[in-house]
Amino acid sequence: IHNKKENNIIDIENEHKKISYFGILYWIVVFIIFALFGNIIFSSFGSYTQSLEIFFIFMLGRIFDLTFGLSASVLNTYGYSKILLQNTVLLLCINFILNYLFIKTIGFTGVAYATALVFVIQAILRSYQLNKFIKINLYRLYIAVIPIVTFNLYYVNRTF
């Protein structure tokens, strides 16, 4: 029985990684589309082209959510729903505090930075919890995500 449980965890870890890589691929496609045609897309809804900067800032956090978002389902499946509730309350409080601080210092784009940062914190927290409670190691996914985030930051700083 113990060996079957270990194989099940390995299967879940492998499936999580596959889905995460598809999330990364999806993110790259969306990023390219909006980098090339974002002004056209946003201007078709009216005078929202300034929102494009906020969109790309949200994309910073979204890559973490797409990569590690399945972690909540895995934790829930293994009976850690109470931890997920605690995580949600903690992240809500962090988001509220960061929104307050960032809006005061950098304006409305601070909301986007705060939300992106909360996605990063959530990813770190969930990957840690998966490793601690279920022995699923997703830390190697950060190797794929960090260069993408770095490029996105570079793009935001160069473009806006």
Side-chain angles (χ1 to χ4, degrees), residues 11-68:
D11 290 343
I12 290 171
E13 182 177 341
N14 290 334
E15 286 302 311
H16 192 301
K17 288 177 182 175
K18 284 181 197 174
I19 292 168
S20 295
Y21 287 123
F22 280 115
I24 292 169
L25 180 62
Y26 169 78
W27 183 93
I28 291 170
V29 169
V30 170
F31 183 89
I32 290 170
I33 289 169
F34 279 89
L36 294 175
F37 307 110
N39 282 328
I40 297 168
I41 294 168
F42 274 74
S43 65
S44 68
F45 295 105
S47 60
Y48 293 106
T49 54
Q50 289 180 325
S51 302
L52 192 58
E53 176 184 9
I54 293 171
F55 174 81
F56 281 108
I57 295 168
F58 276 127
M59 291 285 286
L60 290 167
R62 193 71 183 122
I63 185 67
F64 284 92
D65 189 44
L66 286 168
T67 306
F68 298 98

Side-chain angles (χ1 to χ4, degrees), residues 127-145:
S127 58
Y128 168 78
Q129 290 168 340
L130 276 178
N131 192 34
K132 180 180 178 183
F133 299 124
I134 308 173
K135 306 297 183 230
I136 293 177
N137 185 343
L138 299 176
Y139 295 127
R140 285 182 283 159
L141 290 173
Y142 288 103
I143 296 169
V145 171

